[in-house]
Coordinates of all heavy atoms in Angstrom, one line a residue:
M151 N 79.3 -58.5 51.0 CA 78.6 -57.3 50.6 C 78.8 -56.4 51.8 O 78.6 -56.7 52.9 CB 77.2 -57.6 50.3 CG 76.4 -56.4 50.0 SD 74.8 -56.6 49.3 CE 74.9 -58.0 48.3
L152 N 79.1 -55.1 51.5 CA 79.2 -54.1 52.5 C 77.9 -53.9 53.3 O 76.8 -53.9 52.7 CB 79.6 -52.7 51.9 CG 81.0 -52.6 51.3 CD1 81.1 -51.3 50.7 CD2 82.0 -52.8 52.4
Q153 N 78.0 -53.7 54.6 CA 76.9 -53.5 55.5 C 76.2 -52.2 55.3 O 75.1 -52.0 55.6 CB 77.3 -53.7 56.9 CG 77.8 -55.1 57.2 CD 78.3 -55.2 58.7 OE1 78.2 -54.2 59.5 NE2 78.8 -56.4 59.0
L154 N 77.0 -51.2 54.9 CA 76.5 -49.8 54.9 C 75.8 -49.4 56.2 O 74.6 -49.1 56.3 CB 75.5 -49.6 53.7 CG 76.0 -49.9 52.3 CD1 74.9 -49.6 51.3 CD2 77.2 -49.0 52.0
R155 N 76.6 -49.3 57.2 CA 76.2 -48.9 58.6 C 75.6 -47.5 58.5 O 76.1 -46.6 57.8 CB 77.3 -49.0 59.6 CG 77.7 -50.5 59.7 CD 78.9 -50.6 60.7 NE 79.3 -52.0 60.7 CZ 80.4 -52.4 61.4 NH1 81.1 -51.6 62.1 NH2 80.7 -53.7 61.4
P156 N 74.6 -47.2 59.3 CA 73.8 -45.9 59.2 C 74.4 -44.7 59.8 O 73.9 -43.6 59.6 CB 72.5 -46.3 59.8 CG 72.8 -47.3 60.8 CD 73.9 -48.1 60.2
S157 N 75.5 -44.9 60.6 CA 76.0 -43.7 61.4 C 77.4 -43.9 61.8 O 78.0 -45.0 61.8 CB 75.1 -43.5 62.6 OG 75.2 -44.6 63.5
C158 N 78.0 -42.8 62.2 CA 79.4 -42.8 62.7 C 79.4 -43.5 64.0 O 78.6 -43.2 64.9 CB 79.9 -41.3 62.8 SG 81.5 -41.1 63.5
E159 N 80.4 -44.4 64.2 CA 80.5 -45.1 65.4 C 80.9 -44.2 66.6 O 80.7 -44.6 67.7 CB 81.5 -46.3 65.3 CG 81.0 -47.3 64.3 CD 81.9 -48.5 64.2 OE1 82.7 -48.8 65.2 OE2 81.9 -49.1 63.2
H160 N 81.6 -43.1 66.3 CA 82.0 -42.2 67.4 C 81.0 -41.1 67.7 O 80.6 -41.0 68.9 CB 83.4 -41.6 67.0 CG 83.9 -40.6 68.0 ND1 84.3 -41.0 69.3 CD2 83.9 -39.2 68.0 CE1 84.6 -39.9 70.0 NE2 84.4 -38.9 69.3
C161 N 80.6 -40.3 66.7 CA 79.7 -39.2 67.0 C 78.3 -39.4 66.7 O 77.4 -38.6 67.0 CB 80.2 -37.9 66.3 SG 79.9 -37.9 64.5
D162 N 77.9 -40.6 66.1 CA 76.6 -40.9 65.8 C 75.9 -40.1 64.7 O 74.7 -40.1 64.5 CB 75.7 -40.9 67.0 CG 74.5 -41.8 66.9 OD1 74.5 -42.9 66.2 OD2 73.4 -41.5 67.4
K163 N 76.8 -39.4 63.9 CA 76.3 -38.6 62.8 C 75.6 -39.6 61.7 O 76.2 -40.6 61.5 CB 77.4 -37.8 62.1 CG 77.0 -37.1 60.9 CD 78.2 -36.3 60.3 CE 77.7 -35.5 59.1 NZ 78.8 -34.6 58.7
A164 N 74.5 -39.2 61.2 CA 73.8 -40.0 60.2 C 74.7 -40.1 58.9 O 75.2 -39.1 58.4 CB 72.5 -39.4 59.9
L165 N 74.9 -41.3 58.5 CA 75.6 -41.6 57.2 C 74.7 -42.5 56.3 O 74.9 -43.7 56.3 CB 76.9 -42.3 57.6 CG 77.9 -41.5 58.4 CD1 79.1 -42.3 58.8 CD2 78.4 -40.2 57.6
P166 N 73.8 -41.9 55.7 CA 72.9 -42.6 54.8 C 73.6 -43.3 53.7 O 74.8 -43.0 53.4 CB 71.9 -41.6 54.3 CG 72.6 -40.3 54.4 CD 73.5 -40.4 55.6
P167 N 73.0 -44.3 53.0 CA 73.7 -45.0 51.9 C 74.4 -44.2 50.9 O 75.4 -44.6 50.3 CB 72.6 -45.9 51.3 CG 71.6 -46.0 52.4 CD 71.6 -44.7 53.2
N168 N 73.9 -43.0 50.6 CA 74.4 -42.1 49.6 C 75.4 -41.1 50.1 O 75.8 -40.1 49.4 CB 73.3 -41.4 48.8 CG 72.5 -40.5 49.6 OD1 72.6 -40.5 50.8 ND2 71.7 -39.7 48.9
S169 N 75.8 -41.2 51.4 CA 76.7 -40.2 52.0 C 78.1 -40.3 51.4 O 78.7 -41.4 51.2 CB 76.8 -40.5 53.5 OG 77.8 -39.6 54.1
T170 N 78.6 -39.1 51.1 CA 80.0 -39.0 50.6 C 81.0 -38.8 51.8 O 82.2 -38.7 51.6 CB 80.2 -37.9 49.6 OG1 79.8 -36.7 50.2 CG2 79.4 -38.2 48.3
E171 N 80.4 -38.7 53.0 CA 81.3 -38.5 54.2 C 81.6 -39.8 54.9 O 82.3 -39.7 55.9 CB 80.5 -37.5 55.1 CG 80.3 -36.1 54.6 CD 79.6 -35.3 55.5 OE1 80.1 -35.1 56.7 OE2 78.5 -34.8 55.2
A172 N 81.1 -40.9 54.5 CA 81.3 -42.2 55.2 C 82.6 -42.7 54.9 O 83.0 -42.8 53.7 CB 80.2 -43.2 54.9
M173 N 83.4 -43.1 55.9 CA 84.7 -43.7 55.8 C 84.6 -45.1 56.4 O 84.0 -45.2 57.5 CB 85.8 -42.9 56.4 CG 85.8 -41.4 55.9 SD 86.4 -41.3 54.3 CE 88.1 -41.6 54.4
I174 N 85.3 -46.1 55.8 CA 85.4 -47.4 56.4 C 86.8 -48.0 56.4 O 87.6 -47.6 55.6 CB 84.4 -48.4 55.6 CG1 84.9 -48.6 54.2 CG2 83.0 -48.0 55.8 CD1 84.1 -49.7 53.4
C175 N 87.0 -48.9 57.3 CA 88.2 -49.7 57.4 C 87.9 -51.1 56.7 O 86.8 -51.3 56.3 CB 88.8 -49.9 58.8 SG 87.8 -51.1 59.8
S176 N 88.9 -51.9 56.7 CA 88.7 -53.2 56.0 C 87.7 -54.1 56.8 O 87.2 -55.1 56.2 CB 90.0 -54.0 55.8 OG 90.5 -54.3 57.1
Y177 N 87.4 -53.8 58.0 CA 86.4 -54.5 58.8 C 85.0 -53.9 58.7 O 84.1 -54.2 59.5 CB 86.8 -54.7 60.2 CG 88.0 -55.7 60.4 CD1 89.3 -55.2 60.4 CD2 87.8 -57.0 60.4 CE1 90.4 -56.1 60.6 CE2 88.8 -58.0 60.5 CZ 90.1 -57.5 60.6 OH 91.1 -58.4 60.7
E178 N 84.9 -52.8 57.9 CA 83.7 -52.0 57.8 C 83.3 -51.2 59.0 O 82.2 -50.7 59.1 CB 82.5 -52.9 57.4 CG 82.7 -53.6 56.0 CD 81.5 -54.4 55.6 OE1 80.4 -53.8 55.6 OE2 81.7 -55.6 55.2
C179 N 84.3 -51.0 59.9 CA 84.0 -50.0 60.9 C 83.7 -48.7 60.2 O 84.4 -48.4 59.2 CB 85.2 -49.8 61.8 SG 85.7 -51.4 62.6
T180 N 82.7 -48.0 60.6 CA 82.2 -46.8 59.9 C 82.3 -45.6 60.7 O 81.7 -45.5 61.8 CB 80.8 -47.1 59.4 OG1 80.8 -48.3 58.6 CG2 80.3 -45.9 58.5
F181 N 82.9 -44.5 60.2 CA 83.1 -43.3 60.8 C 82.9 -42.1 59.8 O 83.1 -42.4 58.6 CB 84.4 -43.1 61.5 CG 84.7 -44.1 62.6 CD1 85.2 -45.3 62.3 CD2 84.4 -43.8 63.9 CE1 85.5 -46.3 63.3 CE2 84.6 -44.7 64.9 CZ 85.1 -46.0 64.6
C182 N 82.5 -41.0 60.3 CA 82.4 -39.8 59.4 C 83.8 -39.3 59.1 O 84.7 -39.5 59.9 CB 81.4 -38.8 60.0 SG 82.1 -37.9 61.4
A183 N 83.9 -38.6 58.0 CA 85.2 -38.1 57.5 C 85.8 -37.1 58.6 O 87.0 -37.1 58.8 CB 85.1 -37.4 56.2
D184 N 84.9 -36.3 59.2 CA 85.3 -35.4 60.2 C 86.0 -36.1 61.4 O 87.1 -35.7 61.9 CB 84.2 -34.5 60.7 CG 84.6 -33.4 61.6 OD1 85.5 -32.6 61.1 OD2 84.1 -33.3 62.7
C185 N 85.4 -37.2 61.9 CA 86.0 -37.9 63.0 C 87.2 -38.6 62.6 O 88.2 -38.7 63.4 CB 84.9 -38.9 63.6 SG 83.7 -38.2 64.6
V186 N 87.3 -39.2 61.4 CA 88.5 -39.9 60.9 C 89.6 -38.9 60.9 O 90.7 -39.2 61.4 CB 88.2 -40.5 59.5 CG1 89.6 -40.9 58.8 CG2 87.3 -41.6 59.6
Q187 N 89.4 -37.7 60.4 CA 90.5 -36.7 60.3 C 90.8 -36.1 61.7 O 92.0 -36.0 62.1 CB 90.1 -35.6 59.3 CG 91.2 -34.6 59.1 CD 90.8 -33.6 58.1 OE1 89.7 -33.6 57.5 NE2 91.7 -32.6 57.9
H188 N 89.8 -35.6 62.4 CA 90.1 -34.8 63.6 C 90.1 -35.5 64.9 O 90.7 -35.0 65.9 CB 89.1 -33.7 63.7 CG 89.2 -32.7 62.5 ND1 88.2 -32.7 61.5 CD2 90.1 -31.8 62.2 CE1 88.5 -31.8 60.6 NE2 89.7 -31.3 61.0
V189 N 89.6 -36.7 65.0 CA 89.5 -37.5 66.3 C 90.4 -38.7 66.2 O 91.2 -39.0 67.1 CB 88.1 -37.9 66.7 CG1 88.1 -38.7 67.9 CG2 87.2 -36.6 66.9
L190 N 90.3 -39.5 65.1 CA 90.9 -40.8 65.0 C 92.3 -40.7 64.4 O 93.0 -41.7 64.4 CB 90.0 -41.7 64.2 CG 88.6 -41.9 64.7 CD1 87.8 -42.8 63.7 CD2 88.6 -42.4 66.1
G191 N 92.7 -39.6 63.8 CA 94.0 -39.5 63.2 C 94.2 -40.5 62.0 O 95.3 -41.0 61.8
H192 N 93.1 -40.8 61.3 CA 93.2 -41.7 60.2 C 93.5 -43.2 60.6 O 94.0 -43.9 59.7 CB 94.1 -41.2 59.1 CG 93.7 -39.9 58.5 ND1 92.7 -39.7 57.6 CD2 94.1 -38.6 58.9 CE1 92.6 -38.4 57.3 NE2 93.4 -37.7 58.1
V193 N 93.4 -43.5 61.8 CA 93.6 -44.9 62.3 C 92.4 -45.4 62.9 O 91.8 -44.8 63.9 CB 94.8 -44.9 63.3 CG1 95.0 -46.3 63.9 CG2 96.1 -44.4 62.7
C194 N 91.9 -46.6 62.5 CA 90.7 -47.2 63.1 C 91.0 -47.6 64.5 O 92.0 -48.3 64.8 CB 90.3 -48.5 62.3 SG 88.9 -49.3 63.0
P195 N 90.2 -47.1 65.4 CA 90.4 -47.4 66.9 C 90.1 -48.9 67.2 O 90.5 -49.4 68.2 CB 89.4 -46.5 67.6 CG 88.3 -46.4 66.6 CD 88.9 -46.3 65.2
N196 N 89.4 -49.6 66.3 CA 89.1 -51.0 66.6 C 90.2 -52.0 66.1 O 90.5 -53.0 66.7 CB 87.8 -51.4 65.9 CG 86.7 -50.5 66.4 OD1 86.6 -50.2 67.6 ND2 85.8 -50.0 65.5
C197 N 90.8 -51.7 64.9 CA 91.7 -52.7 64.3 C 93.1 -52.1 64.0 O 94.0 -52.8 63.8 CB 91.1 -53.3 63.1 SG 91.0 -52.1 61.7
G198 N 93.2 -50.8 64.0 CA 94.5 -50.1 63.7 C 94.7 -49.9 62.2 O 95.7 -49.5 61.8
G199 N 93.7 -50.3 61.4 CA 93.8 -50.1 60.0 C 93.6 -48.7 59.5 O 93.3 -47.8 60.3
N200 N 93.7 -48.5 58.2 CA 93.4 -47.2 57.7 C 92.0 -47.1 57.1 O 91.2 -48.1 57.2 CB 94.4 -46.9 56.5 CG 94.2 -47.8 55.4 OD1 94.2 -49.0 55.5 ND2 94.2 -47.3 54.2
F201 N 91.6 -45.9 56.7 CA 90.2 -45.7 56.2 C 90.2 -45.4 54.7 O 91.2 -44.8 54.2 CB 89.6 -44.6 56.9 CG 89.2 -44.9 58.3 CD1 90.1 -44.5 59.4 CD2 88.1 -45.6 58.6 CE1 89.7 -44.8 60.7 CE2 87.7 -45.9 59.9 CZ 88.6 -45.5 61.0
V202 N 89.2 -45.7 54.0 CA 88.9 -45.3 52.7 C 87.4 -44.8 52.6 O 86.6 -45.1 53.5 CB 89.1 -46.4 51.6 CG1 90.6 -46.9 51.6 CG2 88.2 -47.6 51.9
A203 N 87.1 -44.1 51.6 CA 85.7 -43.6 51.4 C 84.8 -44.8 51.1 O 85.2 -45.7 50.4 CB 85.6 -42.7 50.2
R204 N 83.7 -44.9 51.8 CA 82.8 -46.0 51.6 C 82.1 -45.8 50.3 O 81.6 -44.7 50.0 CB 81.7 -46.0 52.7 CG 80.7 -47.1 52.6 CD 79.7 -47.1 53.7 NE 78.7 -46.0 53.4 CZ 77.8 -45.6 54.3 NH1 77.7 -46.2 55.5 NH2 77.0 -44.6 54.0
P205 N 82.0 -46.8 49.5 CA 81.3 -46.7 48.2 C 79.8 -46.5 48.4 O 79.3 -46.8 49.4 CB 81.5 -48.1 47.5 CG 82.6 -48.8 48.3 CD 82.6 -48.2 49.7
I206 N 79.2 -45.9 47.4 CA 77.8 -45.6 47.4 C 77.1 -46.7 46.6 O 77.4 -46.9 45.4 CB 77.5 -44.2 46.9 CG1 78.1 -43.2 47.8 CG2 76.0 -44.1 46.7 CD1 78.0 -41.8 47.3
R207 N 76.2 -47.4 47.3 CA 75.4 -48.5 46.6 C 74.4 -47.8 45.7 O 73.6 -47.0 46.2 CB 74.8 -49.4 47.6 CG 74.1 -50.6 46.9 CD 73.7 -51.7 47.9 NE 75.0 -52.2 48.5 CZ 75.0 -52.7 49.8 NH1 74.0 -52.8 50.5 NH2 76.2 -53.1 50.2
P208 N 74.3 -48.1 44.4 CA 73.3 -47.5 43.5 C 71.9 -47.7 44.0 O 71.5 -48.8 44.4 CB 73.6 -48.2 42.2 CG 74.9 -48.8 42.3 CD 75.1 -49.1 43.7
S209 N 71.1 -46.6 44.0 CA 69.7 -46.7 44.3 C 68.9 -47.1 43.0 O 67.8 -47.7 43.1 CB 69.2 -45.4 44.9 OG 69.4 -44.4 43.9
T210 N 69.5 -46.9 41.9 CA 68.9 -47.3 40.6 C 69.2 -48.7 40.3 O 70.4 -49.1 40.4 CB 69.3 -46.4 39.5 OG1 69.0 -45.0 39.8 CG2 68.7 -46.7 38.2
E211 N 68.3 -49.5 39.9 CA 68.5 -50.9 39.5 C 69.0 -50.9 38.0 O 68.3 -51.2 37.1 CB 67.2 -51.7 39.7 CG 67.5 -53.2 39.5 CD 66.2 -54.0 39.7 OE1 65.2 -53.5 40.1 OE2 66.2 -55.2 39.5
W212 N 70.3 -50.7 37.9 CA 70.9 -50.7 36.5 C 71.0 -52.1 35.9 O 70.9 -52.3 34.7 CB 72.3 -50.1 36.6 CG 72.3 -48.6 37.0 CD1 72.7 -48.2 38.2 CD2 71.8 -47.5 36.3 NE1 72.5 -46.8 38.3 CE2 72.0 -46.4 37.1 CE3 71.3 -47.3 35.0 CZ2 71.7 -45.1 36.7 CZ3 71.0 -46.0 34.6 CH2 71.2 -44.9 35.4
R213 N 71.1 -53.1 36.8 CA 71.1 -54.5 36.4 C 70.1 -55.2 37.3 O 69.9 -54.8 38.4 CB 72.5 -55.1 36.6 CG 73.6 -54.4 35.8 CD 74.6 -55.5 35.4 NE 75.6 -54.9 34.6 CZ 75.7 -55.1 33.3 NH1 74.9 -55.9 32.6 NH2 76.7 -54.5 32.6
P214 N 69.4 -56.2 36.7 CA 68.3 -56.9 37.5 C 68.8 -57.4 38.9 O 69.8 -58.1 39.0 CB 68.0 -58.1 36.6 CG 68.4 -57.6 35.2 CD 69.6 -56.8 35.4
G215 N 68.1 -57.0 39.9 CA 68.3 -57.5 41.2 C 69.5 -56.9 42.0 O 69.8 -57.3 43.1
V216 N 70.1 -55.8 41.4 CA 71.2 -55.2 42.0 C 71.0 -53.7 42.3 O 71.0 -52.9 41.3 CB 72.5 -55.4 41.1 CG1 73.7 -54.8 41.9 CG2 72.7 -56.9 40.8
S217 N 70.7 -53.4 43.5 CA 70.4 -52.0 43.9 C 70.2 -51.9 45.4 O 70.1 -52.9 46.0 CB 69.2 -51.4 43.1 OG 68.0 -52.0 43.6
L218 N 70.1 -50.7 45.9 CA 69.9 -50.5 47.3 C 68.5 -51.1 47.7 O 68.4 -51.6 48.8 CB 69.9 -49.0 47.6 CG 69.9 -48.6 49.0 CD1 71.0 -49.1 49.8 CD2 69.8 -47.1 49.1
S219 N 67.6 -51.1 46.8 CA 66.3 -51.7 47.2 C 66.4 -53.3 47.3 O 65.6 -53.9 48.1 CB 65.2 -51.3 46.2 OG 65.5 -51.9 44.9
H220 N 67.3 -53.9 46.7 CA 67.5 -55.3 46.8 C 68.5 -55.7 47.9 O 68.3 -56.8 48.5 CB 67.9 -55.9 45.4 CG 66.9 -55.8 44.4 ND1 65.9 -56.7 44.2 CD2 66.7 -54.9 43.4 CE1 65.1 -56.4 43.2 NE2 65.6 -55.3 42.7
Q221 N 69.4 -54.9 48.1 CA 70.4 -55.1 49.2 C 70.4 -53.8 50.0 O 71.3 -53.0 49.9 CB 71.8 -55.4 48.6 CG 72.0 -56.7 47.9 CD 71.6 -56.6 46.4 OE1 71.7 -55.5 45.8 NE2 71.1 -57.6 45.8
P222 N 69.5 -53.7 50.9 CA 69.3 -52.5 51.7 C 70.5 -52.3 52.7 O 71.2 -53.2 53.1 CB 68.0 -52.6 52.4 CG 67.8 -54.1 52.5 CD 68.4 -54.7 51.3
A223 N 70.6 -51.0 53.1 CA 71.6 -50.7 54.1 C 71.2 -51.2 55.4 O 70.0 -51.5 55.7 CB 71.7 -49.2 54.2
R224 N 72.1 -51.4 56.3 CA 71.9 -51.9 57.7 C 71.1 -50.8 58.4 O 71.4 -49.6 58.2 CB 73.2 -52.1 58.3 CG 73.2 -52.7 59.7 CD 74.6 -53.1 60.1 NE 74.7 -53.3 61.5 CZ 75.8 -53.8 62.1 NH1 76.8 -54.1 61.4 NH2 75.8 -53.9 63.4
K225 N 70.2 -51.2 59.3 CA 69.4 -50.2 60.1 C 69.9 -50.0 61.5 O 69.8 -48.9 62.1 CB 68.0 -50.6 60.1 CG 67.3 -50.5 58.7 CD 65.8 -50.6 58.9 CE 65.0 -50.7 57.6 NZ 65.4 -50.0 56.5
D226 N 70.5 -51.1 62.1 CA 71.0 -51.0 63.5 C 72.3 -50.3 63.5 O 73.2 -50.5 62.6 CB 71.0 -52.3 64.1 CG 71.9 -53.3 63.4 OD1 71.8 -53.4 62.2 OD2 72.8 -54.0 64.0
K227 N 72.5 -49.5 64.5 CA 73.7 -48.7 64.7 C 74.8 -49.4 65.5 O 74.5 -50.2 66.3 CB 73.4 -47.3 65.4 CG 72.5 -46.4 64.6 CD 72.3 -45.2 65.4 CE 71.4 -44.2 64.7 NZ 71.2 -43.0 65.4
V228 N 76.0 -49.0 65.2 CA 77.1 -49.4 66.1 C 77.6 -48.1 66.6 O 78.2 -47.3 65.9 CB 78.3 -50.1 65.2 CG1 79.4 -50.4 66.1 CG2 77.7 -51.4 64.6
F229 N 77.4 -47.9 67.9 CA 77.7 -46.6 68.5 C 78.6 -46.9 69.7 O 78.2 -47.4 70.8 CB 76.5 -45.8 68.9 CG 76.8 -44.5 69.5 CD1 77.5 -43.5 68.9 CD2 76.3 -44.2 70.8 CE1 77.7 -42.3 69.4 CE2 76.6 -43.0 71.4 CZ 77.3 -42.0 70.7
K230 N 79.9 -46.6 69.6 CA 80.8 -46.8 70.7 C 81.9 -45.8 70.6 O 83.0 -46.0 70.0 CB 81.4 -48.2 70.7 CG 81.9 -48.8 69.4 CD 82.3 -50.2 69.5 CE 82.8 -50.7 68.2 NZ 83.4 -52.0 68.2
P231 N 81.6 -44.6 71.2 CA 82.5 -43.5 71.1 C 83.9 -43.9 71.7 O 84.0 -44.6 72.6 CB 81.9 -42.4 72.0 CG 80.4 -42.8 72.0 CD 80.4 -44.3 71.9
V232 N 84.9 -43.3 71.1 CA 86.3 -43.6 71.6 C 86.7 -42.5 72.6 O 86.2 -41.4 72.6 CB 87.3 -43.7 70.4 CG1 86.9 -44.7 69.5 CG2 87.4 -42.3 69.8
S233 N 87.7 -42.9 73.5 CA 88.3 -41.9 74.3 C 89.3 -41.2 73.4 O 90.2 -41.8 72.8 CB 89.1 -42.6 75.4 OG 90.1 -41.8 76.0
V234 N 89.1 -39.9 73.3 CA 89.9 -39.1 72.4 C 91.4 -39.1 72.8 O 92.3 -39.3 71.9 CB 89.4 -37.6 72.4 CG1 90.3 -36.7 71.6 CG2 88.0 -37.5 71.9
Q235 N 91.7 -39.1 74.1 CA 93.1 -39.1 74.5 C 93.7 -40.5 74.2 O 94.8 -40.6 73.7 CB 93.2 -38.8 76.0 CG 94.7 -38.8 76.5 CD 95.5 -37.7 75.7 OE1 95.1 -36.6 75.4 NE2 96.7 -38.1 75.4
E236 N 93.0 -41.6 74.5 CA 93.5 -42.9 74.2 C 93.7 -43.1 72.7 O 94.7 -43.7 72.3 CB 92.6 -44.0 74.7 CG 92.6 -44.2 76.2 CD 91.7 -45.2 76.7 OE1 91.2 -46.1 75.9 OE2 91.3 -45.1 77.9
Q237 N 92.8 -42.6 71.9 CA 92.9 -42.7 70.4 C 94.1 -41.9 69.9 O 94.8 -42.4 69.0 CB 91.6 -42.3 69.7 CG 91.7 -42.4 68.2 CD 91.9 -43.8 67.7 OE1 91.7 -44.8 68.4 NE2 92.4 -43.9 66.5
K238 N 94.3 -40.7 70.5 CA 95.5 -39.9 70.0 C 96.8 -40.7 70.3 O 97.7 -40.7 69.4 CB 95.6 -38.6 70.8 CG 94.6 -37.6 70.2 CD 94.8 -36.2 70.9 CE 93.8 -35.2 70.4 NZ 93.9 -33.9 71.0
E239 N 96.9 -41.3 71.4 CA 98.1 -42.1 71.8 C 98.2 -43.3 70.9 O 99.3 -43.7 70.3 CB 98.1 -42.5 73.2 CG 98.2 -41.4 74.2 CD 97.9 -41.7 75.6 OE1 97.6 -42.9 76.0 OE2 97.8 -40.8 76.4
F240 N 97.1 -44.0 70.6 CA 97.1 -45.2 69.8 C 97.4 -44.8 68.3 O 98.3 -45.5 67.7 CB 95.7 -45.8 69.8 CG 95.5 -47.1 69.0 CD1 96.3 -48.2 69.3 CD2 94.6 -47.1 68.0 CE1 96.1 -49.4 68.5 CE2 94.4 -48.3 67.2 CZ 95.2 -49.4 67.5
A241 N 96.8 -43.8 67.8 CA 97.1 -43.3 66.4 C 98.5 -42.9 66.3 O 99.1 -43.2 65.2 CB 96.1 -42.2 66.0
A242 N 99.1 -42.2 67.3 CA 100.5 -41.8 67.2 C 101.4 -43.0 67.1 O 102.3 -43.0 66.3 CB 100.8 -41.0 68.4
R243 N 101.1 -44.0 67.8 CA 101.9 -45.3 67.7 C 101.7 -46.0 66.4 O 102.7 -46.4 65.8 CB 101.5 -46.2 68.9 CG 102.6 -47.0 69.5 CD 102.2 -47.7 70.8 NE 101.1 -48.7 70.5 CZ 99.9 -48.6 71.1 NH1 99.7 -47.7 72.0 NH2 99.0 -49.6 70.9
V244 N 100.5 -46.2 66.0 CA 100.2 -47.0 64.8 C 100.5 -46.3 63.5 O 101.0 -46.9 62.6 CB 98.7 -47.4 64.8 CG1 98.3 -48.1 63.5 CG2 98.4 -48.3 66.0
S245 N 100.3 -45.0 63.5 CA 100.5 -44.2 62.2 C 101.9 -44.1 61.8 O 102.2 -43.7 60.7 CB 99.9 -42.8 62.3 OG 100.5 -42.1 63.3
K246 N 102.9 -44.5 62.6 CA 104.3 -44.6 62.3 C 104.6 -45.7 61.2 O 105.6 -45.6 60.6 CB 105.2 -44.8 63.5 CG 105.1 -43.6 64.4 CD 105.9 -43.9 65.7 CE 105.7 -42.7 66.7 NZ 106.4 -43.0 68.0
T247 N 103.6 -46.6 61.2 CA 103.8 -47.7 60.2 C 102.8 -47.5 59.1 O 101.6 -47.3 59.3 CB 103.4 -49.1 60.9 OG1 104.2 -49.2 62.1 CG2 103.6 -50.3 60.0
P248 N 103.3 -47.5 57.8 CA 102.3 -47.4 56.7 C 101.2 -48.4 56.7 O 101.5 -49.6 57.1 CB 103.2 -47.5 55.5 CG 104.6 -47.5 56.0 CD 104.6 -47.8 57.4
P249 N 100.0 -48.1 56.2 CA 98.9 -49.0 56.2 C 99.3 -50.4 55.6 O 98.8 -51.4 56.1 CB 97.8 -48.3 55.4 CG 98.1 -46.9 55.6 CD 99.6 -46.8 55.7
E250 N 100.0 -50.4 54.5 CA 100.4 -51.7 53.9 C 101.3 -52.5 54.7 O 101.5 -53.7 54.4 CB 100.9 -51.4 52.5 CG 102.3 -50.7 52.5 CD 102.2 -49.2 52.5 OE1 101.1 -48.6 52.7 OE2 103.2 -48.5 52.2
S251 N 101.9 -52.0 55.8 CA 102.8 -52.8 56.6 C 102.2 -53.1 58.0 O 102.9 -53.7 58.8 CB 104.1 -52.0 56.8 OG 104.7 -51.8 55.5
R252 N 101.0 -52.6 58.3 CA 100.4 -52.8 59.6 C 100.0 -54.2 59.8 O 99.7 -54.8 60.6 CB 99.2 -51.9 59.8 CG 99.6 -50.4 59.9 CD 98.4 -49.5 60.2 NE 98.8 -48.2 59.9 CZ 98.0 -47.2 59.8 NH1 96.7 -47.4 60.0 NH2 98.4 -46.0 59.5

């Protein structure tokens, strides 16, 4: 089950469970769309993977026991800003390989 981390790991922008700006990699590293585009170059600084929009967990219990109230979002933050210059170099190297081949 997705952790739904509460903020961008780089800039610490709040990313509540219903945010349409949250982006994740396959390891659930979480960044805001602005950082993914303008700082990270669409390359995860932790694993080198790509990003997709994080799904929104329903707040309404459409099915018994399945909703944000039953599986709440994570409260603790992961905040580890990246070196912009190092990330630019890393993303330039990694982005030459398509995500499905990384």
